[in-house]
Amino acid sequence: MSDAPEGILVIHKPRGMTSHDVVQLTRSALGVRQIGHSGTLDPIAEGVLVLLVGKATKYQQAAQAHPKRYEAVMRLGIQTDTGDAWGNSIKTAPVPPLDRHHVEAVLASLVGPLSQVPPVFSAVKVRGRPLYWWARRGSPLTVPPRIVQIFAAELLELSGDQLTCRVECSRGTYMRCLAELIAERLGTVGHVHQLIRLAVGPWDLSQAHTVDWLRSSTPQEIRASLTPVGQAM
């Protein structure tokens, strides 16, 4: 084994941590600065975060290009400024009676190319700062819409003012925007209540190490868990 660690490490990011928090924790655990990841997960979200360690970072764009798979619980009737359950309510609306057939038809209508404007509370950078930096200072900025791709959208559960769905989508897709669009097409407003990323391309939760494992493992144990880039990609 070379002195410098290199490879891919899949982590199950818990709710409450940022993706950057996980990167920093891994840097500290391995004693290496050069670590990237396959795409930011919001603090409210949990799930698969693919880390690229050492020289593997040169494959970061390729890793980010993989489709993502999510399971989202969406709450209808309340819209928030952040698009998720941790934001402040900015709008309420009645939730019309919903039946499974109608919700499934709305989800089916999303499959294909879709135009999305990144949320003002997102990590997209404008003038060298992420959008959330501007929004938190009372000067929210917007960026042009982007075309994303929804490959599949499946209803898992419908209960009262909540629906749970599984979505497979391209990179750059914001589930918060998708939740608001679904709510709009159902005749109300809504937000993401819970979100888990099940997979990034070939990497899924079955391969993911916990943050507790990361904290308690030795550098040698973590190195041994790195997957060579050639094998992973």
Side-chain angles (χ1 to χ4, degrees):
M1 182 182 296
S2 64
D3 289 337
E6 176 184 342
I8 288 175
L9 183 66
V10 185
I11 297 294
H12 184 156
K13 186 194 85 69
R15 283 166 59 97
M17 289 186 75
T18 67
S19 298
H20 184 66
D21 289 338
V22 177
V23 169
Q24 289 289 78
L25 182 62
T26 310
R27 285 171 175 164
S28 176
L30 277 175
V32 61
R33 179 72 184 169
Q34 194 178 16
I35 297 179
H37 62 71
S38 62
T40 301
L41 272 176
D42 293 333
I44 194 175
E46 64 173 292
V48 174
L49 186 67
V50 180
L51 302 182
L52 298 101
V53 179
K55 293 181 180 179
T57 53
K58 66 183 178 181
Y59 297 98
Q60 186 167 355
Q61 287 192 350
Q64 290 176 343
H66 282 293
K68 315 296 197 292
R69 187 163 68 250
Y70 295 93
E71 186 173 307
V73 178
M74 304 174 186
R75 185 179 177 190
L76 304 175
I78 302 173
Q79 183 178 352
T80 69
D81 56 359
T82 59
D84 60 35
W86 291 359
N88 299 311
S89 174
I90 57 173
K91 187 177 182 180
T92 61
V95 179
L98 301 174
D99 65 81
R100 190 174 187 92
H101 177 75
H102 178 49
V103 176
E104 287 176 339
V106 166
L107 293 179
S109 73
L110 300 171
V111 175
L114 192 67
S115 178
Q116 281 191 340
V117 176
V120 294
F121 285 92
S122 68
V124 175
K125 287 192 175 180
V126 178
R127 302 178 200 166
R129 301 281 190 176
L131 284 177
Y132 64 75
W133 187 91
W134 299 98
R136 288 171 181 168
R137 284 156 180 78
S139 303
L141 303 177
T142 57
V143 295
R146 302 174 176 190
I147 301 298
V148 299
Q149 187 83 18
I150 306 300
F151 303 116
E154 175 189 5
L155 178 64
L156 301 179
E157 186 177 352
L158 178 62
S159 177
D161 64 353
Q162 289 193 167
L163 62 92
T164 304
C165 62
R166 184 174 295 139
V167 174
E168 186 168 353
C169 55
S170 67
R171 65 169 296 182
T173 303
Y174 285 92
M175 291 300 297
R176 289 175 287 158
C177 296
L178 198 65
E180 292 178 344
L181 179 58
I182 290 170
E184 179 184 330
R185 293 190 179 183
L186 291 172
T188 184
V189 296
H191 65 270
V192 170
H193 186 64
Q194 295 177 5
L195 182 64
I196 180 168
R197 186 153 71 191
L198 303 172
V200 175
W203 303 287
D204 60 30
L205 286 174
S206 69
Q207 304 161 50
H209 298 279
T210 66
V211 165
D212 285 341
W213 171 87
L214 189 59
R215 289 191 174 111
S216 62
S217 297
T218 65
Q220 292 73 26
E221 289 170 331
I222 299 172
R223 280 175 177 245
S225 296
L226 297 177
T227 304
V229 173
Q231 176 183 332
M233 301 293 287

